[in-house]
Amino acid sequence: MRLHTLRIAAFGPFAARQEVDFDSLSEAGLFLLHGPTGAGKTSVLDAVCYALYGAVPGARQGPGTTLRSDHALVDEPTEISLELSVGDRRLEVTRLPAQPRPKKRGEGFVTEKAQSRLREYDSQTGSWRSLSKSHQEIGEEITQLIGMSREQFCQVVLLPQGDFARFLRADAEARGKLLGRLFDTRRFAAVEERLAALRRAAETQVLAGDERLLTLAHRMAEAAGPAADDWPLPVDRPGDPGLAEAVLQWAAVARCGAGERLDIARAALSAAESRQAAARTNLEDQRELARLQERFEQTRRRTEELANRRGEREEVRARLDRARRAERVGDALTQRDEAAQEHRDAADARERARRELPAELADAGADQLSALERRLRQDLGALDAARRAERRSAEITAERAGLDRQAHADDELIREAAGWLTDWDTVLRRCQDRIEAAQEAATRAEQLAGQLEPARRRLEAARARDRLATDAAAAEGRLSAARERANAAHETWLDLRERRLRGVAAELAAGLRDGEPCAVCGAADHPAPAMPGAGHVDRAAEEAAYETHTRADEDRAEAERALGAVREAVAEARAGAGSATTGELAELVGQLQRDHAEAHGTAAGMHAAREERARAEREHAGRTAAQQQAERRSAARTSQREALEREQSAIEEELVGARGGAGSVAEHATRLEHRMRFLDRAADAVRAVDTTAQRLKEADDRLADAAFRAGFDTPQEAAAELTDDSEQRRLQQRLDAWQAEEAALAERLAEQDAADAAGRPPADPGAARAEFDTAERAFLEASSVLDAAAERRIALRRLSAQAADELAGLGPLRAEYDRVARLATLTAGTSADNERKMRLESYVLAARLEQVAAAATVRLQTMSAGRYTLVHSDARAGGRGRSGLGLHVLDSWTGRERDTATLSGGETFFASLALALGLADVVTDEAGGIRLDTLFIDEGFGSLDDQTLDDVLDVLDSLRERDRSVGIVSHVGDLRRRIPAQLEVVKEQSGSAVRHHAAGSSR
């Protein structure tokens, strides 16, 4: 990797745009970057780091820091641009950090987002081509090309001597942190963490298995009950190696004890069962004796109660006898009541009928009314034929109306069909013409479609030709203006340069001091220093003019490239458009589109035209058939209408006398029927009164006879004793119940066992119950003890089997844990097998440190005139410290190794410089062998004597033999005389600036 040009603007202490030409500085191999304290030497290196990685070195990337210059104008954006070569590729990285800018409208500022651009120089075309504008893509591309992270770059390319001086004096822990960042040993630390995690996971599984075993042991203790107190578990701690064996032994002892207690419980249950059976037998005997004694006493008391109620029973029997005798009179009473009610209803009906009869018939008898009704019925019978004739006349009228409607409909159909069939030839010709036109339009649409697409392409090419012609004219104008600006800027720069060269003596004289030698002649006296004349031009004005000239020349080249691209596009468009104008082509395309749309629309109607012709043919056939059928129906209706008219005239002549002054025969018949029904009801009502009176008299006679035969003096007396069936059944049930109870009591008094029991002492079932309850509780307790003992043995067997299964599964887990634990403690440096207590990451870093010490020794021996050699040491640091990252220096003058912290200030500087250069070589190899052609060394040279400084510069100068350039950042005055190529950072009130000094010239 080689740096070419760095351009910065409004960055750090630099307010105006500055450019650092590393190519000119690298020609000498060594160049010096110097300037007063705070001028911005380190900011130049920060700009290089920011251009590559989008961030400054970590030590200067603190919270609240800003990259924008406080001296910059508000409209001057902060921008860093770096040109560099990596391998055979030349790249340009440009970055603009997030920064405030004035609002385009109104007052105040807005924050502009950060921007990044990556370009690559194309040597074949001599132009830059853009690669990316994405922060992430650019960062990944740069990191992949250089092969180093930002931290590695800052340690390898921007060699911070202070860090390596501290590295020499640091302990193993601090060295490990730095080397870990540079060599990215995170994968080895990840291995340590992974093994530690696996160890913790395996330990967790083992502990979980032990916990499960202990849980099973506690469950077995709970299952064993109080007996477990006699043999407690000897091990009760997860992770104990003997836990599994102890649990299995304890389970075996618990199972044996549970078996013994089960046998004891079985014997106790057998004895309790015998006592319970005896108590149950005694309880049953006492309960039976108490039952017999109570039964005998209840029977005796109930017999006495029945004897005392004998009079009540006789009264119930007498009442039942009277009710049964009155029941024989009940039918006669019911018939007499029904006859009386019928006679009353008939009398009421007769009175209603008489009120509706005419006055002359009010006292008429039933026979008179019936005779009148028969005469009316004879008149009504004579009207049946007339009613049938009247209904037939109405039917004939309806049939004639229907014939008239059919005739009207058929006449309308015939007229409509005749009118439609008149134009049939015209309709058929029109349908055929539409079909033929659609077929011709389809053929024309295909032809027009083939012509339309080429015409559209020519129109697009013509429009692009016209548009590009305007762009070409504008590009020619821009090129002409760019050429004029480039020529003017070039002439201005040459003029300013010539004027500055004429006044360079005054510029040199401005730096003269009394007593100090002149840089040109060496004299210490300055009797007549040159004075600046009118129109004197300083270096800043010349550089500004040169920068303006450069930008103008770039604008001119860009305008030439743009004009060439436009001209190529114009030629391509002209080839596609031909000689026709855009208007002519647009008119042609429009006409083709209209013709194609018209033809396509006409062709689309072909299917509809064919469907229309088919519909017309079907309608022609249908209308012709309908016309013929209507004519045939019309001829048949004429003869039918004449027959109906003759029949209706004859019927009307017969009906004139049959209507009897009514509107119709039906109305006259309705009147006769109404009068007949009224006379019939009146006659029936008169007859019903006579009939019901006779029935009532007969019912009275039967009732008196029935009461006498039943033993009652009057019918009223019999009615008083009459009861319903339910009451008789209730009385009979009472008598039956009394009789049955007397018989049952007699049988119970005759029972011998009850009589014997009554002669015995009173039974005591309560005492027997108490004795049985005591035996029952003892039996239940013995049964519970047996069940518990059986459950304990079953539970212990089940839990023991689970413990055995758990132990079988825990064996591989414990073996895996032992293996992973050994590896984890070995890589962590805590294992007894790791004699030096070195972690895996420390072991890898120790190998890297050994490579760095070997590479650094090559240069350290030159700088120290062969005295010192850096030696890596993996000895223990003492106490609990770990080994592997020790660093000693071997002094050839004494032949002894000593700690690097014992070196003097100057020795520490060149030792740290050698270490930094060696580290740069090792990191470069680690990063894939990317060649680093530009290095920077920051401060520390002031602590060296002249001889040592010469040796150090010889080592640095030797890097030039490998086409490397080394930039030394220092403000030591002696280096300015020893290193001719210089980059000076000048601190001014309006912001810092850079100046290039080469051998024999400066600018």
Side-chain angles (χ1 to χ4, degrees):
M1 181 196 73
R2 177 180 293 277
L3 305 182
H4 296 295
T5 305
L6 173 67
R7 301 181 183 89
I8 53 181
F11 178 83
F14 303 103
R17 292 186 174 271
Q18 305 294 323
E19 180 176 334
V20 179
D21 188 356
F22 288 112
D23 287 336
S24 62
L25 293 173
S26 300
E27 290 177 357
L30 283 177
F31 64 90
L32 178 65
L33 176 59
H34 69 94
T37 302
K41 301 186 296 297
T42 306
S43 295
V44 175
L45 307 184
D46 290 347
V48 173
C49 182
Y50 187 84
L52 293 174
Y53 295 97
V56 298
R60 294 182 289 278
Q61 187 72 30
T65 58
T66 179
L67 303 178
R68 182 169 175 78
S69 174
D70 297 332
H71 304 284
L73 300 176
V74 293
D75 57 349
E76 179 71 24
T78 300
E79 182 178 353
I80 301 95
S81 179
L82 176 66
E83 289 186 30
L84 71 156
S85 294
V86 181
D88 57 352
R89 299 178 64 184
R90 185 172 182 127
L91 304 173
E92 179 190 67
V93 187
T94 303
R95 295 188 187 269
L96 285 80
Q99 55 189 295
R101 65 166 177 79
K103 292 182 178 180
K104 296 181 179 179
R105 296 181 179 178
E107 299 179 353
F109 293 84
V110 295
T111 302
E112 189 79 21
K113 293 183 179 179
Q115 302 178 38
S116 299
R117 295 190 298 272
L118 177 63
R119 299 195 303 172
E120 182 176 5
Y121 184 75
D122 190 344
S123 58
Q124 296 181 355
T125 61
S127 60
W128 292 90
R129 61 185 179 90
S130 177
L131 296 181
S132 177
K133 293 184 179 181
S134 169
H135 300 296
Q136 182 177 358
E137 291 180 359
I138 295 174
E140 293 175 354
E141 180 74 12
I142 293 297
T143 302
Q144 183 177 3
L145 289 174
I146 299 178
M148 289 183 286
S149 64
R150 177 169 62 95
E151 291 78 7
Q152 291 175 320
F153 180 83
C154 294
Q155 293 288 344
V156 174
V157 178
L158 312 179
L159 300 178
Q161 295 307 114
D163 289 351
F164 283 96
R166 287 190 296 273
F167 182 83
L168 287 173
R169 297 183 175 89
D171 57 7
E173 193 71 23
R175 288 191 185 120
K177 291 180 179 179
L178 176 61
L179 293 173
R181 290 196 305 269
L182 293 177
F183 293 104
D184 192 14
T185 57
R186 289 174 294 179
R187 59 187 183 278
F188 301 103
V191 171
E192 297 178 22
E193 295 175 359
R194 178 59 178 167
L195 287 173
L198 291 175
R199 175 186 177 181
R200 290 192 297 271
E203 184 178 13
T204 300
Q205 291 180 336
V206 171
L207 291 177
D210 288 347
E211 289 287 353
R212 290 192 294 272
L213 275 177
L214 284 176
T215 301
L216 290 173
H218 290 310
R219 290 174 60 187
M220 285 189 283
E222 292 176 359
D229 298 337
D230 298 337
W231 17 275
L233 186 66
V235 179
D236 194 5
R237 185 176 64 258
D240 195 318
L243 175 63
E245 188 65 28
V247 170
L248 291 181
Q249 294 177 359
W250 187 89
V253 173
R255 290 196 304 275
C256 293
E260 294 176 358
R261 283 166 176 75
L262 179 60
D263 294 339
I264 295 172
R266 285 173 178 167
L269 178 63
S270 178
E273 188 175 8
S274 299
R275 290 192 296 273
Q276 181 199 34
R280 181 183 289 107
T281 301
N282 181 45
L283 176 61
E284 292 174 353
D285 293 342
Q286 289 296 315
R287 284 177 174 173
E288 180 64 18
L289 178 60
R291 185 185 67 78
L292 292 174
Q293 291 175 347
E294 178 65 23
R295 177 183 177 87
F296 185 82
E297 182 62 25
Q298 289 178 356
T299 302
R300 187 186 61 77
R301 287 197 302 270
R302 185 59 181 166
T303 301
E304 292 177 355
E305 291 176 358
L306 289 179
N308 294 334
R309 297 177 61 186
R310 187 175 301 277
E312 180 183 354
R313 183 171 56 181
E314 294 299 330
E315 177 61 28
V316 171
R317 183 179 286 111
R319 183 181 175 188
L320 179 61
D321 180 65
R322 290 194 301 272
R324 286 176 176 173
R325 286 189 291 109
E327 186 178 4
R328 295 197 294 271
V329 187
D331 292 341
L333 285 170
T334 302
Q335 292 175 3
R336 195 270 174 191
D337 292 340
E338 291 176 353
Q341 183 62 40
E342 289 178 356
H343 182 64
R344 288 192 295 271
D345 293 341
D348 293 339
R350 182 186 64 184
E351 291 301 323
R352 288 194 298 272
R354 282 179 175 177
R355 285 195 296 269
E356 296 179 2
L357 286 172
E360 64 274 10
L361 296 177
D363 296 328
D367 294 336
Q368 184 181 358
L369 294 174
S370 296
L372 182 58
E373 187 266 340
R374 284 194 296 273
R375 286 196 301 273
L376 293 177
R377 187 176 299 279
Q378 292 173 0
D379 295 340
L380 181 61
L383 294 177
D384 289 341
R387 281 188 292 187
R388 288 194 295 272
E390 187 176 46
R391 286 196 296 270
R392 176 57 185 160
S393 177
E395 292 174 358
I396 292 173
T397 301
E399 289 179 6
R400 291 176 63 188
L403 292 175
D404 293 340
R405 289 193 299 272
Q406 292 176 6
H408 179 75
D410 285 342
D411 292 343
E412 183 66 25
L413 189 148
I414 292 171
R415 286 194 300 273
E416 183 180 357
W420 190 88
L421 291 173
T422 302
D423 298 332
W424 164 241
D425 293 337
T426 303
V427 172
L428 184 62
R429 181 69 259 170
R430 183 175 67 250
C431 293
Q432 189 62 33
D433 292 344
R434 286 188 59 190
I435 293 173
E436 294 173 358
Q439 291 174 346
E440 294 176 358
T443 303
R444 177 168 174 74
E446 292 179 1
Q447 297 173 353
L448 292 174
Q451 300 173 7
L452 182 59
E453 189 58 31
R456 285 174 175 169
R457 288 196 296 269
R458 290 183 62 194
L459 176 60
E460 291 297 326
R463 289 172 176 171
R465 177 195 62 195
D466 297 344
R467 184 176 62 254
L468 291 173
T470 304
D471 295 344
E476 290 176 353
R478 288 193 295 271
L479 176 59
S480 177
R483 284 174 176 171
E484 293 178 0
R485 288 194 299 271
N487 294 334
H490 186 255
E491 293 176 359
T492 300
W493 172 61
L494 293 177
D495 178 63
L496 292 176
R497 184 178 183 184
E498 183 178 359
R499 288 165 58 188
R500 180 170 177 261
L501 291 175
R502 287 198 301 268
V504 71
E507 186 174 335
L508 293 174
L512 295 177
R513 301 291 183 270
D514 292 337
E516 294 182 1
C518 175
V520 178
C521 64
D525 295 332
H526 317 296
M531 300 298 292
H536 174 70
V537 177
D538 58 6
R539 181 178 179 180
E542 180 192 353
E543 291 178 349
Y546 177 75
E547 184 176 357
T548 302
H549 157 61
T550 303
R551 287 198 299 269
D553 192 60
E554 291 176 353
D555 293 343
R556 177 194 56 75
E558 182 64 27
E560 289 178 349
R561 287 192 295 272
L563 179 59
V566 172
R567 285 175 175 172
E568 291 179 2
V570 169
E572 183 179 356
R574 285 175 177 171
S579 60
T581 64
T582 303
E584 293 172 349
L585 291 174
E587 184 178 358
L588 174 61
V589 170
Q591 185 62 40
L592 288 175
Q593 288 177 338
R594 289 190 296 272
D595 294 346
H596 178 266
E598 181 181 358
H600 187 271
T602 303
M606 181 182 295
H607 179 72
R610 288 175 176 173
E611 288 291 331
E612 182 180 0
R613 184 180 66 180
R615 286 196 301 271
E617 290 174 348
R618 289 194 297 272
E619 187 173 0
H620 176 266
R623 287 180 180 274
T624 301
Q627 184 182 29
Q628 294 173 355
Q629 292 175 1
E631 290 174 349
R632 288 194 293 270
R633 288 195 301 271
S634 179
R637 274 195 302 273
T638 302
S639 59
Q640 186 178 2
R641 184 183 293 108
E642 292 175 354
L644 290 175
E645 288 177 353
R646 287 193 300 271
E647 182 180 1
Q648 189 174 30
S649 296
I651 291 173
E652 286 299 325
E653 290 178 357
E654 296 176 1
L655 291 177
V656 172
R659 289 192 177 101
S664 63
V665 175
E667 182 180 352
H668 182 52
T670 301
R671 291 177 181 178
L672 291 177
E673 290 175 354
H674 177 70
R675 294 177 63 186
M676 287 168 51
R677 285 193 298 271
F678 181 72
L679 291 172
D680 183 58
R681 285 198 302 270
D684 290 341
V686 173
R687 291 190 191 95
V689 171
D690 297 337
T691 302
T692 55
Q694 181 62 33
R695 289 177 183 172
L696 178 59
K697 181 180 180 302
E698 293 174 356
D700 287 338
D701 295 339
R702 287 194 297 273
L703 175 59
D705 183 60
F708 176 76
R709 285 197 301 271
F712 296 101
D713 295 336
T714 63
Q716 290 75 16
E717 183 181 351
E721 294 295 337
L722 188 63
T723 59
D724 56 9
D725 294 340
S726 62
E727 179 62 20
Q728 292 182 26
R729 286 195 298 271
R730 187 182 67 78
L731 294 174
Q732 184 63 47
Q733 288 173 357
R734 289 182 65 185
L735 292 174
D736 294 343
W738 275 329
Q739 185 176 359
E741 189 174 5
E742 283 181 348
L745 290 174
E747 292 178 1
R748 289 167 62 179
L749 287 174
E751 293 176 355
Q752 186 62 40
D753 55 352
D756 294 342
R760 295 175 60 184
D764 190 2
R769 179 67 192 182
E771 181 182 355
F772 174 74
D773 290 343
T774 301
E776 179 74 11
R777 285 194 297 272
F779 173 74
L780 293 177
E781 290 175 0
S783 179
S784 299
V785 170
L786 177 63
D787 293 342
E791 290 178 358
R792 288 191 182 98
R793 188 172 70 171
I794 294 172
L796 287 172
R797 287 179 177 176
R798 184 182 67 256
L799 293 172
S800 297
Q802 292 180 6
D805 295 341
E806 190 67 36
L807 181 60
L810 185 58
L813 292 177
R814 192 178 294 280
E816 177 68 13
Y817 167 70
D818 294 339
R819 182 176 64 84
V820 173
R822 286 196 302 272
L823 289 175
T825 54
L826 185 64
T827 56
T830 58
S831 173
D833 297 335
N834 192 335
E835 297 179 357
R836 299 186 180 276
K837 303 298 180 184
M838 291 180 64
R839 294 171 49 210
L840 177 61
E841 184 181 14
S842 300
Y843 179 80
V844 175
L845 292 177
R848 293 289 187 268
L849 182 58
E850 188 173 3
Q851 296 175 356
V852 171
T857 297
V858 176
R859 296 181 176 88
L860 180 59
Q861 288 182 344
T862 302
M863 296 180 189
S864 63
R867 179 178 178 183
Y868 293 120
T869 301
L870 280 177
V871 179
H872 162 254
S873 174
D874 56 4
R876 293 284 298 273
R880 298 177 58 88
R882 297 178 183 176
S883 58
L885 297 179
L887 193 63
H888 294 169
V889 60
L890 176 61
D891 191 346
S892 62
W893 290 3
T894 62
R896 294 183 179 181
E897 291 185 11
R898 54 191 175 98
D899 193 276
T900 53
T902 62
L903 296 174
S904 65
E907 292 172 338
T908 299
F909 168 72
F910 62 69
S912 62
L913 177 59
L915 185 65
L917 294 173
L919 180 64
D921 292 339
V922 175
V923 171
T924 300
D925 295 338
E926 178 75 11
I930 298 298
R931 180 180 177 84
L932 302 177
D933 296 323
T934 305
L935 300 177
F936 294 91
I937 301 174
D938 191 2
E939 294 298 345
F941 292 87
S943 60
L944 304 180
D945 56 59
D946 291 343
Q947 181 60 41
T948 304
L949 181 59
D950 289 337
D951 293 337
V952 170
L953 292 180
D954 288 342
V955 171
L956 296 178
D957 192 56
S958 67
L959 297 176
R960 183 174 53 181
E961 298 174 359
R962 291 186 290 172
D963 198 20
R964 276 186 175 179
S965 62
V966 180
I968 299 175
V969 182
S970 178
H971 51 70
V972 177
D974 193 31
L975 290 176
R976 300 179 194 174
R977 294 188 297 274
R978 294 172 180 264
I979 303 176
Q982 301 175 15
L983 178 66
E984 181 182 5
V985 181
V986 180
K987 181 169 62 174
E988 299 175 354
Q989 187 174 1
S990 60
S992 300
V994 297
R995 295 178 181 175
H996 292 74
H997 300 279
S1001 67
S1002 65
R1003 60 180 178 88

